[in-house]
Amino acid sequence: MTIGINRPHVRNAVNPQTASELLHAFQSFEDDSSLTAAVFHGIGGNFCAGYDLKEFSKKSVSFNFELDVTKHPSPMGPARMQLSKPVIAAVSGYAVAGGLELSLLADLRVVEHSAIFGVFCRRFGVPLIDGGTVRLPKLIGLSRALDLILTGRSVGSQEALEFGIANRVVPDGQALKCAIELAEEISAFPQACMRADRDSAYHSTFGSSSFTEAMQFEFNNATHVLPEAVCGAKRFSSGEGRGGAKL
């Protein structure tokens, strides 16, 4: 499944309608058991330039936000979701401010050579409220995250790769194609086992209270996929996949 932001005239900046549509698209992906992975991208040369500040500037200084983050979606739409299946972000052009936060929703980011990341909202006093201060330090470490959060500077694709924001850097114009290929590769694996391991990795990063608890969760979470593991072991015993060969 591909999910694209389609507001190229504003570098795919998100307004309330777009946020709602993105939330619906990701919820549909999550709910459809036939879908194994999603590719998230921006149409027209940019991933996402954040929230539409021109629309935001028309709001009153008095806001009435739902304070409980579990009861309302984030301003960018799906940024607070905890998905059970992999998402690959295909990043071209700008992925800045809320757009950077949306890219962090993905498990992996395939990034074009000329892409730019950054907390550009720093310059205008707009805070990160779509997971940027939560996901980014976990992804790249506090020191590097603070480098981006405090300075608001731009980060190119090579530095993003060195930091761990980018997982792959590809030529311009190739991110979507390469992200789809990566999603297809991931979708070809036995899914129950892959999702269990993914779930355990996220739990140990965001949800565990201790090393021991994380280890217990990993074990408990894996027991239900043992029948799939037995099938895989039989395939290996029959000679499939030897030497790391693709199945």
Side-chain angles (χ1 to χ4, degrees):
M1 179 180 185
T2 59
I3 300 172
I5 306 174
N6 189 17
R7 300 189 78 218
H9 58 290
V10 289
R11 291 180 173 171
N12 288 327
V14 169
N15 63 3
Q17 179 182 348
T18 305
S20 177
E21 291 172 355
L22 284 174
L23 181 65
H24 176 74
F26 274 97
Q27 193 61 60
S28 296
F29 163 66
E30 178 72 2
D31 293 342
D32 190 335
S33 60
S34 70
L35 299 175
T36 53
V39 173
F40 188 22
H41 66 109
I43 295 168
N46 290 286
F47 181 73
C48 176
Y51 197 83
D52 191 332
L53 293 186
K54 289 183 178 179
E55 290 203 18
F56 185 72
S57 68
K58 300 173 184 176
K59 291 182 176 289
S60 163
V61 293
S62 177
F63 299 103
N64 184 25
F65 286 134
E66 169 58 60
L67 298 181
D68 187 340
V69 298
T70 66
K71 294 181 179 179
H72 197 273
S74 73
M76 296 295 291
R80 293 175 185 159
M81 294 182 73
Q82 294 177 288
L83 299 162
S84 65
K85 296 178 284 188
V87 175
I88 315 296
V91 179
S92 58
Y94 286 99
V96 297
L100 168 62
E101 293 180 289
L102 280 181
S103 77
L104 301 178
L105 174 65
D107 299 86
L108 303 172
R109 282 151 294 282
V110 177
V111 177
E112 294 187 358
H113 179 75
S114 64
I116 298 292
F117 295 91
V119 185
F120 283 14
C121 51
R122 177 61 54 237
R123 301 169 296 163
F124 302 108
V126 178
L128 298 170
I129 56 174
D130 290 86
T133 65
V134 179
R135 296 183 193 270
L136 190 62
K138 290 290 190 180
L139 185 69
I140 65 174
L142 180 61
S143 178
R144 284 175 164 173
L146 286 175
D147 186 358
L148 274 66
I149 292 168
L150 298 181
T151 68
R153 69 181 180 89
S154 62
V155 174
S157 61
Q158 189 57 45
E159 188 176 16
L161 182 65
E162 294 168 0
F163 272 20
I165 298 173
N167 299 95
R168 311 278 194 280
V169 174
V170 299
D172 289 353
Q174 295 297 305
L176 180 58
K177 173 179 176 291
C178 292
I180 290 173
E181 291 173 352
L182 182 56
E184 290 173 346
E185 179 182 338
I186 291 172
S187 295
F189 293 132
Q191 290 297 294
C193 176
M194 187 204 66
R195 291 182 192 177
D197 286 346
R198 176 186 178 275
D199 187 29
S200 293
Y202 273 107
H203 178 80
S204 69
T205 301
F206 291 102
S208 66
S209 59
S210 69
F211 174 80
T212 301
E213 190 278 333
M215 294 293 284
Q216 189 65 60
F217 181 93
E218 178 188 61
F219 180 79
N220 294 344
N221 198 44
T223 55
H224 74 280
V225 304
L226 290 179
E228 189 175 79
V230 171
C231 290
K234 290 179 178 178
R235 294 175 67 189
F236 175 80
S237 297
S238 70
E240 293 185 49
R242 297 294 174 86
K246 288 187 176 181
L247 300 176

